């Protein structure tokens, strides 16, 4: 199983490319090109990922196999929806695994790194929003101990989409 490590600033360029490629491969067919392009412009790019990696209110984890990124997860601390009842909730903002590594445990290892980091930083819960039309991710979160507590709107480009909000207690 490939190791998980925290992302460094010099990962930013490769991480931006990996994240955008994974996002487009996963959701491109179900959304318009305009919405995908707008989302990718505002979410992925070397400067954007460098700023996120440097942000003390976030942590990014990566997994590599033979110098190739195969997994990425990002945890952050900030505002949570009202349906997340916790003292100090951490959010899994992103978790992406390369398609040829799906079903091989990389996602579980990234998830464990996120949970461990959340506990270390004193969080009592981890939450996330997942598109209602993403059954594989919903199944993965369910088997990782997350339960549905509500929903919120995630706007992809100009398209308001329903995200299921899921929470797991930690610590
Ligand atoms: C979400 C993601 C990180 C999960 O990692 P993974 O390695 O695929 O996860 P796993 O294979 O361990 O678990 C997925 C589960 O969903 C099941 N599954 C697969 N396709 C499914 C479908 N169409 N409907 C319901 N369940 C499905 C799998 O069988 C598996 O369950 P099992 O272990 O009981 O067989 C990965 O699929 C991914 O990167 N997806 C693209 C990006 C993405 O959607 N990220 C999440 C955004 S919120």
């Amino acid at each position: 199983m490939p190791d998980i490590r925290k992302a460094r600033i010099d990962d930013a360029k490769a991480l931006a490319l990996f994240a955008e490629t994974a996002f487009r491969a996963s959701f491109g067919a179900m959304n318009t090109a305009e919405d995908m392009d707008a989302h990718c412009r505002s979410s992925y790019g070397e400067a954007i990922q460098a700023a996120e990696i440097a942000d003390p209110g976030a942590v990014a984890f990566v997994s590599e196999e033979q110098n190739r990124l195969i997994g990425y997860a990002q945890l952050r601390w900030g505002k949570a929806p009202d349906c997340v009842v916790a003292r100090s909730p951490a959010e899994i903002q992103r978790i992406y695994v390369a398609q040829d590594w799906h079903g091989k445990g990389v996602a579980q290892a990234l998830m464990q790194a996120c949970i461990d980091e959340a506990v270390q930083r004193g969080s009592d819960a981890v939450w996330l929003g997942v598109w209602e039309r993403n059954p594989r991710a919903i199944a993965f979160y369910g088997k990782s101990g997350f339960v549905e507590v509500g929903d919120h709107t995630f706007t992809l480009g100009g398209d308001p989409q329903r995200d299921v909000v899921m929470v797991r207690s930690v610590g």
Side-chain angles (χ1 to χ4, degrees):
M1 171 58 52
D3 286 342
I4 306 295
R5 65 167 173 82
K6 284 188 183 171
R8 304 180 298 257
I9 295 287
D10 65 358
D11 290 315
K13 188 174 180 183
L15 199 50
L17 180 63
F18 176 77
E20 178 162 352
T21 303
F23 192 84
R24 285 187 181 278
S26 305
F27 307 114
M30 292 185 284
N31 292 285
T32 68
E34 292 74 21
D35 288 335
M36 291 295 293
D37 289 347
H39 177 79
C40 289
R41 261 196 314 275
S42 63
S43 305
Y44 311 119
E46 184 174 357
I48 296 172
Q49 268 61 61
E52 290 175 350
I53 293 165
D55 181 352
V59 177
F61 293 100
V62 295
S63 181
E64 284 169 316
E65 170 74 358
Q66 295 180 339
N67 289 327
R68 171 196 163 216
L69 283 178
I70 59 166
Y72 164 43
Q74 188 154 292
L75 198 59
R76 67 179 175 184
W77 286 263
K79 200 174 149 23
D82 290 345
C83 57
V84 176
V85 180
R87 176 181 45 76
S88 173
E91 177 191 5
I92 295 181
Q93 181 193 1
R94 301 186 186 117
I95 181 163
Y96 304 148
V97 171
Q99 276 178 346
D100 54 331
W101 281 88
H102 286 183
K104 296 182 179 170
V106 176
Q108 280 82 356
L110 287 165
M111 174 63 75
Q112 193 57 54
C114 288
I115 302 283
D116 291 347
E117 182 75 16
V119 171
Q120 261 181 37
R121 291 207 189 191
S123 288
D124 55 336
V126 175
W127 72 278
L128 54 88
V130 52
W131 192 18
E132 62 179 343
R133 293 178 61 191
N134 190 351
R136 183 171 190 125
I138 291 172
F140 168 69
Y141 298 136
K143 70 179 187 176
S144 305
F146 286 76
V147 293
E148 184 176 337
V149 293
D151 60 12
H152 72 171
T153 300
F154 172 81
T155 304
L156 183 93
D159 181 25
Q161 303 185 340
R162 179 177 173 265
D163 265 12
V164 175
V165 174
M166 302 180 79
V167 179
R168 177 189 151 163
S169 296
V170 299

